[in-house]
Amino acid sequence: MAEIKDPENTIILETTKGKVVIQLLPQVAPEHVKRIKELAREKAYDGVVFHRVIADFMAQTGDVEFGKKGGENFNPGRAGMGGSSKDDLKAEFSATPHVRGTCSMARSQNPNSANSQFFICFTDAPWLNKQYSVWGQVIEGMDNVDKIKKGEPVSDPDSIVSMRVAADV
C-alpha cells in the first residue's frame, strides 16, 4: 500500500474494481478539497456510479443526487445531471496539469458550477489545464481505475463502494 503521509488529506476510494488512494491537494484547491472531504465524511459518495467513462480520457462519477444506487432519486438516465444539496463552488483553476491519475471537478459551461461530480484522468489531458479545478492525484490503484467499465452512458456501471478520508479509517 502507498505510504499515507497526511491522512487528513488522503482519500481511500473503494470501487467495484478495487482500492484507489488519492492524495488531496489543499494547497491547489482548498474549497474543493474541503467539499470532497465533507461529502466523503457524510458517506454521500457511497454507491455512486461511474456514469461517464471514456477510454483514453477519464472516468466521471460523483452525482450524489441521481447516480447513487439505492438512493431515493437514483435514475441511471439522469446520472450526471445532479449534484449535492450544497452550493456550487467558485472555480479554483490552477497551473496543476491534468495528467494520468489527476482528480478534478466536473462542471457545466459555467466555471463556477462544480458541486460533487468529479473525474479521474486515464491519460494526460492538457486541454483541460486551467479550466477545471484539480483537487487530487491518485497515488495507488490506477490499475483499478483502468478497469472501470467504459461507456457514455455506461450500461451496468461500476460504482464507488465507499469513499473515506484516511484519517477516519
Side-chain angles (χ1 to χ4, degrees):
M1 175 143 161
E3 184 184 351
I4 296 176
K5 296 179 178 142
D6 182 0
E8 184 57 35
N9 285 302
T10 306
I11 290 288
I12 298 174
L13 178 68
E14 195 65 51
T15 73
T16 47
K17 295 299 186 196
K19 184 189 293 189
V20 180
V21 180
I22 302 167
Q23 181 64 57
L24 298 174
L25 303 172
Q27 70 282 13
V28 174
E31 293 304 311
H32 288 75
V33 166
K34 183 177 165 189
R35 172 66 55 83
I36 292 291
K37 290 185 343 184
E38 182 180 21
L39 290 169
R41 285 186 160 128
E42 292 172 0
K43 301 183 170 129
Y45 288 118
D46 296 7
V48 175
V49 299
F50 285 89
H51 64 271
R52 181 173 179 244
V53 185
I54 303 170
D56 300 319
F57 180 30
M58 59 89 215
Q60 187 171 333
T61 185
D63 182 346
V64 301
E65 183 177 5
F66 300 121
K68 188 178 181 95
K69 282 185 175 178
E72 63 181 69
N73 294 322
F74 180 61
N75 182 337
R78 294 198 67 198
M81 297 179 191
S84 74
S85 59
K86 300 171 190 321
D87 291 339
D88 288 347
L89 296 166
K90 186 174 181 342
E92 292 179 301
F93 300 160
S94 70
T96 303
H98 285 78
V99 296
R100 178 169 166 76
T102 295
C103 301
S104 193
M105 293 302 274
R107 62 171 177 81
S108 70
Q109 296 287 5
N110 177 350
N112 300 313
S113 62
N115 187 291
S116 65
Q117 291 189 48
F118 65 91
F119 58 91
I120 303 171
C121 293
F122 289 125
T123 59
D124 295 359
W127 61 91
L128 300 178
N129 293 349
K130 300 181 183 177
Q131 296 185 62
Y132 290 82
S133 299
V134 174
W135 56 265
Q137 180 66 40
V138 173
I139 58 171
E140 179 187 309
M142 268 309 291
D143 55 328
N144 292 324
V145 175
D146 290 336
K147 295 174 193 169
I148 294 170
K149 194 181 299 177
K150 314 294 186 281
E152 255 192 299
V154 184
S155 61
D156 189 29
D158 286 303
S159 61
I160 297 169
V161 175
S162 67
M163 185 165 163
R164 299 289 180 269
V165 177
D168 301 339
V169 177

